[in-house]
Amino acid sequence: MKYILLLLVFIAAQPLLAQDAPAYEKTTKAFQENFNAQNIDGVFDLYATEMQEEMTKEGVARFIKGCHSQFGNLKTLTFIESAEGINSYTAAFDNINLVMELKLNTDGKIATIQFQEP
């Protein structure tokens, strides 16, 4: 009985998880394009209001310029997994591969983003 209930919960949750996929795909593509172009306004506009207030446009500019000069262009983002509302991707830059952790809010804006070594 437990397994049937678990299966039903999983089946019911699938559409909810699938609805997030297009939002994440759209945001990761826009982030990659704006990062590579060093378009600070474009990256800043992807952030949720709370992130914009916390980071400020100047902070985002330092982050993007610093990462771009150190890592190079962001060549690909490959999905790894989703856990606790955070999607993980392998971020392949010109000079290094990192793990990018990304969480979007309900509006499809970036609520959390961080890069770390695998």
Side-chain angles (χ1 to χ4, degrees), residues 90-109:
T90 298
F93 292 89
D94 288 331
N95 303 327
I96 192 170
N97 287 345
L98 298 172
V99 173
M100 180 179 86
E101 294 183 343
L102 179 70
K103 182 176 183 176
L104 302 182
N105 68 10
T106 55
D107 296 326
K109 298 285 190 171

Side-chain angles (χ1 to χ4, degrees), residues 26-87:
K26 178 182 174 187
T27 301
T28 55
K29 183 178 179 182
F31 179 83
Q32 181 179 3
E33 289 172 358
N34 287 307
F35 177 88
N36 289 340
Q38 295 188 56
N39 179 355
I40 306 308
D41 290 333
V43 173
F44 189 75
D45 291 342
L46 294 172
Y47 285 8
T49 304
E50 298 81 15
M51 283 283 291
Q52 289 178 343
E53 291 170 358
E54 185 178 312
M55 295 273 307
T56 73
K57 194 174 282 191
E58 293 77 23
V60 172
R62 284 191 303 274
F63 169 72
I64 297 301
K65 289 177 182 177
C67 287
H68 193 272
S69 68
Q70 187 176 11
F71 307 141
N73 280 329
L74 178 54
K75 298 185 296 185
T76 60
L77 286 167
T78 306
F79 178 77
I80 301 171
E81 68 177 350
S82 183
E84 299 179 20
I86 298 174
N87 282 11

Side-chain angles (χ1 to χ4, degrees), residues 13-31:
Q14 274 304 102
L16 295 175
L17 296 174
Q19 289 175 353
D20 285 346
Y24 276 88
E25 186 175 328
K26 178 182 174 187
T27 301
T28 55
K29 183 178 179 182
F31 179 83

